[in-house]
Amino acid sequence: MGLFSFLRGHDINAGVAEYQATDGAVLLDVRTTDEYRQGHIEGSVNLPLDQIAAIGNIVKNKKMPLYVHCLSGARSGQAVSHLRQMGYTNATNIGGISDYRGKVVR
């Protein structure tokens, strides 16, 4: 990690790779339902940011690794903040799907 690497933001490609290598992890897409339908990462779970309080219906274990993304990384940052306030201790903002270089499911 270089001196100015923090300026680049989150790397969704590295985040997805880490998710795939982590047993039991959840890839959480907090974009709207319509955005999700237009294309999403295979295996991701859609829970729009405005519904983040319903996470307990999807993930009961608050220590479960959660890899959170949206379109640009802004909403996922907000989601991670909310998740931490709700007691989820292992939530990570991996950025935006707009920078994803892998296959997108439509």
Side-chain angles (χ1 to χ4, degrees), residues 9-10 19 21 28 34 48 50-51 56 60 64 78 92 98 101-102:
H10 306 280
Y19 150 74
L28 193 61
D34 286 340
D50 64 354
Q51 298 172 24
K60 303 212 183 304
M64 177 79 64
Q78 292 175 37
T92 303
S98 60
R101 293 187 299 267

Side-chain angles (χ1 to χ4, degrees), residues 1-38:
M1 196 176 259
L3 181 60
F4 295 103
S5 61
F6 67 92
L7 294 174
R8 285 195 307 261
H10 306 280
D11 181 356
I12 190 166
N13 299 289
V16 170
E18 189 174 328
Y19 150 74
Q20 291 169 336
T22 305
D23 287 338
V26 174
L27 182 61
L28 193 61
D29 185 329
V30 296
R31 296 176 300 150
T32 66
T33 303
D34 286 340
E35 287 175 301
Y36 185 80
R37 285 185 191 133
Q38 291 173 20

Side-chain angles (χ1 to χ4, degrees), residues 1-105:
M1 196 176 259
L3 181 60
F4 295 103
S5 61
F6 67 92
L7 294 174
R8 285 195 307 261
H10 306 280
D11 181 356
I12 190 166
N13 299 289
V16 170
E18 189 174 328
Y19 150 74
Q20 291 169 336
T22 305
D23 287 338
V26 174
L27 182 61
L28 193 61
D29 185 329
V30 296
R31 296 176 300 150
T32 66
T33 303
D34 286 340
E35 287 175 301
Y36 185 80
R37 285 185 191 133
Q38 291 173 20
H40 58 274
I41 300 169
E42 189 171 1
S44 63
V45 175
N46 184 225
L47 182 64
L49 177 60
D50 64 354
Q51 298 172 24
I52 200 70
I55 187 67
N57 297 329
I58 299 167
V59 180
K60 303 212 183 304
N61 179 353
K62 292 188 175 187
K63 294 179 183 178
M64 177 79 64
L66 302 173
Y67 293 87
V68 186
H69 73 281
C70 61
L71 179 64
S72 68
R75 284 177 283 179
S76 51
Q78 292 175 37
V80 166
S81 179
H82 290 301
L83 290 164
R84 289 183 180 153
Q85 289 174 0
M86 291 185 290
Y88 287 85
T89 59
N90 203 0
T92 303
N93 178 5
I94 62 170
I97 195 171
S98 60
D99 293 325
Y100 184 59
R101 293 187 299 267
K103 180 183 176 188
V104 174
V105 178

